[in-house]
Amino acid sequence: MEEIGKVSNPVWKFFASVKLTIVFLVLLAIFSVAGTMIPQKEGAMEFVQRLNPTTFNLMDFFGLFDLYHAGWFRFLIAMLVLNLVVCSLERFPSAWKRVKARPSVERTKPFEELPDTLLISTERGYQEALGNCLNLFKKRFSAFRSEETEYGTFFLAEKGRFSPLGVYIVHLSVLVILIGALAGSFFGFEGFVKIPEGETVDSIMVRGGNQSLSPGFEIRCDKFTVEFYENGSPKEYKSEVTFLSGGKEIEKRDILVNHPATFKGITFYQSTYEKVAGKELRIKLRKGLDEDLETIDAEIGKKMELPGKEGFFQILDVRHMGTVPAALVSVEIQGAEPTRFWIFEDFEHIKSRLPAQMINSPKFDPAAFKPYTFLLLGVQERYATGLQANQDPGVPVVWAGFILIILGFIVTFFTSHQTIRMFVENKGKKTVIRVTGSASRNRPALDRDIQRLAEDIRSLFAA
Amino acid sequence: MTSSAIISYLTFVYFLAFVFYLVMMVMGRRLPGTLATYTLLGSFAAQTAAIILRWQESYALGMGRAPFSNLYESLIFFAWTLVLLYLIVEWRTKNKSAGAFVTPLIFLALAYASFSPNISSKIMPLIPALKSNWLITHVITCFLGYAAFALSFGFSLMYLFKGNDSANNTASFLRLIPARGILDELNYQMVVIGFLMLTLGIITGSVWAHSAWGSYWSWDPKETWSLITWLVYAAVIHSRLVRGWKGRKIIILCIVGFACVLFTYFGVNYLAGLHSYATS
């Protein structure tokens, strides 16, 4: 009844075709090639600027700048999966039947027209010969069946009965891997944290969106080190981090490339690093443009009195602008709006590279608060580590799929359903022994085995 | 470094083996074939020694790492696996004709490694991403796969050369090549080995990438091209199930597959990606 339903449904028939599988496989391959030729995602920025708007719009419409996540690409994968499922369902029942089948032991047909090498004739009595053959067969095959008739005894041993199921294990594992990938994209995230040494963060920037999420704990970077080989190539990046919960230290871990750390289901990977400005800096105050007053070791947020006691100043921010260290100075006089301006290290030197309107702006004038000129002598430097922070509940599923696919391949390609038959025939004064067999794959290997079996039997009765 | 000197000499020995195989094919004599096999065995032993020596040299330089980490070393290893696999096939099939098709690939790989100005034979220390136990398994499985596909390519070429059996060519060159049916079967066996190894290579790479880059699949060009290769050979394996598809169509698909292998290996270096250390 089921069989009839399957055959008459044209959609089912369409998807049950192996030809269709090849079409889908080749199509996926071709489109994947396109994805490696067209710059993708972040890499597409520069490429896109060289396109004319019509081309860009067309390519963007088809998602060609993020091809592997485009709807139609996923649809193609879904079609291949559907094809795989239908093909497997269509063919599984007959494979299962073959696995369950018990070929009858008493069959004379397989023994017809055998080459002489597989046929042994002996003068020994039937019972003796039968006993010898039985012992040999027992030694060779752990499980076999035999059947006695009035003209002789039939033996049948089977190996690798489950071999036809290998293909279905492989197909199942492909499904498992894809389910794992799907689970990851629905329930997981890829994020990033940048933590300067000595600082603590409590949120993760999620990739592919501008929102951040709170993991429910904090991460502090205690120290970051980078080592180089003599030739200048990097040897090791290491972040020493502490995971905290509500300010309380829970666990200290070292994160290195190839050695991520997992805390409360989120895994942190060493990804990048950069040099950032620290909290401490050294500045020099001048009166007018060339009269040195004093050199001060300052710290972000610490208020200091101006030399002439006009009021206070403090450093609000320190950062690198491009590669140049810069500090935001705020001069605060009672009853007046604070005067805020940026000062740069080595200002005379970089001045020439700055645009005119920037130099003329009071925001970048180191002498914006008369009569003083502020000079930035140096900024303490420290590292900030960049950690990839991911959560992917699909990973164990994908790993299971990997193991399954390897198992499936071994069963499919390296096992074979072999049937080995022996027939000991009682011919009165003579006893004739015949061996033969069949295999679902690798017939030559079986032929060698059968040949060996025949030789062993022959040597039993030699002389 | 002694190891790279040995390798550059071996380039010529492999060429010699190729010449012997070719002479055997053209003249249809036994002796050049025997010479070819012994030359190949000898240079294989020498190459094995050179690889072990290189490993030791890296220890002497204080790096102590497996010699599988840049384009030079990968080419050497690719040639090595190809010789190994070919010798096994020659021994199993008792037929030497594939030698004439496979030895040029070995020679070319070594010549490219030793004499290309873009490839440095210097032993360099491992960058952090490569410091992993997965390096050895990943490289070995991938290159066994590549070698099997290279042999499949050799059998495919032989298939095309052979022409129809009925054409009964008298030239010894074609007479020594096995019948198309046998070539088809040998080719399929190589595709199966290659496909299994490539799958293992992708899996080990995937598990490694998960711990190094935080993601088991990131559509990096090399990853994608290995998937493309996988898809093509998956198509090859499935096409045997389509009635009437044995033979030419599959052979052409196998040649396309090997082109994908070559692109995965070399071409990808011209595209930006995470695997950039394999470039020089």
Side-chain angles (χ1 to χ4, degrees):
Chain A
M1 199 175 75
E2 247 178 87
E3 298 276 331
I4 296 161
K6 276 178 196 170
V7 175
S8 61
N9 184 339
V11 180
W12 181 276
K13 243 180 127 176
F14 177 74
F15 280 105
S17 147
V18 182
K19 263 188 193 161
L20 189 70
T21 311
I22 295 165
V23 170
F24 282 143
L25 287 171
V26 171
L27 277 180
L28 271 175
I30 291 170
F31 290 127
S32 299
V33 171
T36 65
M37 299 297 167
I38 304 166
Q40 298 287 298
K41 288 186 170 179
E42 296 89 355
M45 296 291 193
E46 197 203 327
F47 176 70
V48 160
Q49 284 166 3
R50 284 185 280 140
L51 296 172
N52 69 50
T54 327
T55 321
F56 170 76
N57 286 336
L58 203 65
M59 289 176 79
D60 194 44
F61 177 76
F62 287 108
L64 295 186
F65 301 116
D66 192 7
L67 192 151
Y68 306 113
H69 302 100
W72 59 266
F73 190 79
R74 301 206 150 173
F75 177 75
L76 201 58
I77 296 177
M79 285 300 102
L80 177 68
V81 167
L82 186 62
N83 176 228
L84 176 151
V85 170
V86 173
C87 274
S88 302
L89 288 179
E90 176 84 2
R91 289 163 179 79
F92 184 77
S94 73
W96 186 244
K97 224 179 260 172
R98 263 180 287 149
V99 170
K100 296 274 274 186
R102 287 262 182 230
S104 62
V105 182
E106 189 203 338
R107 282 190 66 202
T108 49
K109 193 140 201 306
F111 297 102
E112 285 165 13
E113 292 169 21
L114 283 186
D116 289 346
T117 48
L118 300 183
L119 195 147
I120 302 109
S121 182
T122 173
E123 306 288 311
R124 309 240 181 121
Y126 172 68
Q127 285 307 331
E128 190 196 345
L130 182 64
N132 288 341
C133 289
L134 176 68
N135 282 336
L136 188 79
F137 216 70
K138 244 186 202 160
K139 246 185 263 166
R140 270 295 168 81
F141 308 103
S142 53
F144 63 89
R145 289 180 288 146
S146 63
E147 222 171 282
E148 211 164 347
T149 66
E150 64 257 33
Y151 52 96
T153 308
F154 293 86
F155 293 84
L156 184 145
E158 278 181 280
K159 268 186 190 172
R161 285 233 318 268
F162 292 95
S163 178
L165 298 185
V167 170
Y168 304 98
I169 300 175
V170 174
H171 285 175
L172 182 70
S173 67
V174 171
L175 289 184
V176 171
I177 291 168
L178 288 174
I179 287 169
L182 219 53
S185 70
F186 278 125
F187 305 115
F189 64 83
E190 277 186 18
F192 191 81
V193 284
K194 187 178 120 181
I195 326 171
E197 281 178 307
E199 290 190 20
T200 308
V201 296
D202 59 359
S203 70
I204 295 170
M205 283 299 297
V206 176
R207 212 163 277 205
N210 285 327
Q211 84 270 38
S212 61
L213 67 85
S214 167
F217 58 86
E218 303 101 67
I219 320 125
R220 187 179 68 216
C221 174
D222 297 320
K223 200 178 173 197
F224 176 84
T225 43
V226 51
E227 280 179 54
F228 294 94
Y229 292 108
E230 278 171 27
N231 68 4
S233 69
K235 184 179 183 183
E236 189 178 276
Y237 308 111
K238 184 163 94 177
S239 301
E240 295 168 34
V241 303
T242 305
F243 294 105
L244 307 101
S245 184
K248 220 179 104 207
E249 290 187 9
I250 307 286
E251 202 182 342
K252 277 185 185 295
R253 294 287 294 271
D254 289 351
I255 300 173
L256 294 89
V257 180
N258 276 314
H259 297 278
T262 304
F263 188 73
K264 292 196 175 161
I266 299 176
T267 310
F268 294 85
Y269 304 84
Q270 184 63 54
S271 174
T272 58
Y273 75 98
E274 58 183 335
K275 273 191 178 159
V276 294
K279 284 185 170 166
E280 289 163 26
L281 63 160
R282 177 167 286 185
I283 51 178
K284 191 194 246 179
L285 276 179
R286 276 185 183 159
K287 193 168 187 178
L289 286 174
D290 40 23
E291 187 192 335
D292 284 0
L293 289 177
E294 55 185 317
T295 303
I296 305 158
D297 287 324
E299 200 179 303
I300 290 181
K302 202 169 111 184
K303 281 193 174 182
M304 281 164 290
E305 198 168 38
L306 288 164
K309 309 218 187 310
E310 297 95 329
F312 296 90
F313 75 94
Q314 64 169 321
I315 305 299
L316 295 177
D317 193 6
V318 180
R319 63 171 66 164
H320 285 94
M321 289 197 174
T323 53
V324 186
L328 179 59
V329 182
S330 170
V331 183
E332 292 148 18
I333 308 294
Q334 199 141 39
E337 278 284 301
T339 312
R340 287 181 182 174
F341 54 92
W342 284 94
I343 54 174
F344 296 89
E345 193 179 307
D346 211 1
F347 190 58
E348 290 306 315
H349 185 237
I350 60 153
K351 221 173 175 175
S352 55
R353 287 187 290 162
L354 294 174
Q357 74 235 58
M358 202 170 158
I359 298 174
N360 298 330
S361 155
K363 277 191 168 168
F364 297 97
D365 180 7
F369 186 82
K370 301 287 181 278
Y372 300 109
T373 303
F374 287 77
L375 279 88
L376 181 57
L377 296 184
V379 167
Q380 171 209 33
E381 285 201 318
R382 55 181 170 161
Y383 286 114
T385 183
L387 302 175
Q388 172 131 222
N390 294 358
Q391 188 169 44
D392 189 346
V395 166
V397 182
V398 173
W399 279 195
F402 284 169
I403 292 170
L404 210 58
I405 205 169
I406 296 169
L407 276 176
F409 275 151
I410 291 170
V411 174
T412 311
F413 294 127
F414 299 108
T415 68
S416 138
H417 182 196
Q418 296 183 335
T419 313
I420 298 110
R421 292 171 178 276
M422 179 169 77
F423 174 34
V424 184
E425 191 181 4
N426 186 355
K427 286 208 163 177
K429 282 182 184 170
K430 268 198 329 189
T431 308
V432 176
I433 301 128
R434 292 181 178 86
V435 284
T436 185
S438 61
S440 61
R441 68 167 57 249
N442 201 1
R443 179 79 213 201
L446 176 85
D447 285 342
R448 276 196 294 275
D449 283 354
I450 302 251
Q451 207 70 48
R452 221 166 291 148
L453 180 64
E455 279 159 29
D456 286 356
I457 295 171
R458 186 164 287 119
S459 61
L460 272 182
F461 304 114
Chain B
M1 276 166 288
T2 357
S3 64
S4 46
I6 297 176
I7 297 288
S8 56
Y9 291 131
L10 281 177
T11 311
F12 300 103
V13 183
Y14 280 120
F15 186 74
L16 188 69
F18 166 57
V19 172
F20 282 142
Y21 278 114
L22 208 59
V23 170
M24 172 201 76
M25 294 295 280
V26 174
M27 295 175 47
R29 293 269 175 81
R30 245 189 130 81
L31 181 68
T34 315
L35 279 175
T37 303
Y38 281 109
T39 313
L40 207 55
L41 274 170
S43 44
F44 178 68
Q47 198 183 341
T48 313
I51 291 174
I52 295 170
L53 191 62
R54 191 176 173 87
W55 206 323
Q56 280 181 342
E57 283 166 354
S58 83
Y59 272 96
L61 288 171
M63 297 166 201
R65 54 165 189 78
F68 302 138
S69 68
N70 56 26
L71 185 56
Y72 176 80
E73 292 174 345
S74 80
L75 281 163
I76 305 304
F77 187 64
F78 169 65
W80 187 85
T81 45
L82 190 50
V83 185
L84 175 69
L85 208 59
Y86 169 73
L87 283 171
I88 293 172
V89 170
E90 186 186 297
W91 170 61
R92 288 286 295 260
T93 58
K94 308 273 182 287
N95 186 299
K96 295 175 193 285
S97 57
F101 294 84
V102 174
T103 44
L105 291 176
I106 300 163
F107 161 73
L108 283 175
L110 284 194
Y112 183 44
S114 297
F115 306 114
S116 163
N118 303 324
I119 298 176
S120 161
S121 67
K122 253 171 96 180
I123 300 181
M124 300 295 263
L126 288 183
I127 61 163
L130 291 180
K131 284 185 182 168
S132 166
N133 294 333
W134 290 106
L135 174 66
I136 294 180
T137 29
H138 179 58
V139 171
I140 289 180
T141 48
C142 286
F143 280 93
L144 272 175
Y146 289 1
F149 289 140
L151 274 173
S152 146
F153 174 68
F155 288 129
S156 302
L157 286 186
M158 288 162 78
Y159 187 98
L160 295 180
F161 267 97
K162 181 77 176 173
N164 278 327
D165 282 3
S166 54
N168 206 359
N169 214 307
T170 45
S172 65
F173 190 87
L174 294 179
R175 198 158 31 79
L176 286 173
I177 297 178
R180 276 192 156 183
I182 296 171
L183 289 174
D184 197 57
E185 188 55 38
L186 282 171
N187 178 39
Y188 179 68
Q189 282 179 16
M190 289 305 128
V191 169
V192 163
I193 294 173
F195 192 62
L196 176 67
M197 286 301 156
L198 178 64
T199 309
L200 284 173
I202 293 175
I203 288 175
T204 51
S206 202
V207 176
W208 182 8
H210 180 249
S211 68
W213 302 326
S215 168
Y216 57 84
W217 193 263
S218 33
W219 295 104
D220 155 74
K222 196 145 195 138
E223 282 175 358
T224 311
W225 269 95
S226 68
L227 177 71
I228 293 163
T229 310
W230 193 87
L231 290 169
V232 171
Y233 282 106
V236 170
I237 286 173
H238 284 91
S239 60
R240 298 232 335 166
L241 302 173
V242 180
R243 207 159 295 157
W245 259 54
K246 254 188 180 176
R248 216 182 153 81
K249 277 183 188 156
I250 294 185
I251 294 298
I252 286 164
L253 212 48
C254 283
I255 291 173
V256 171
F258 189 63
C260 291
V261 169
L262 289 180
F263 199 86
T264 309
Y265 193 175
F266 303 109
V268 165
N269 297 336
Y270 301 101
L271 310 167
L274 296 164
H275 270 85
S276 53
Y277 38 75
T279 324
S280 56

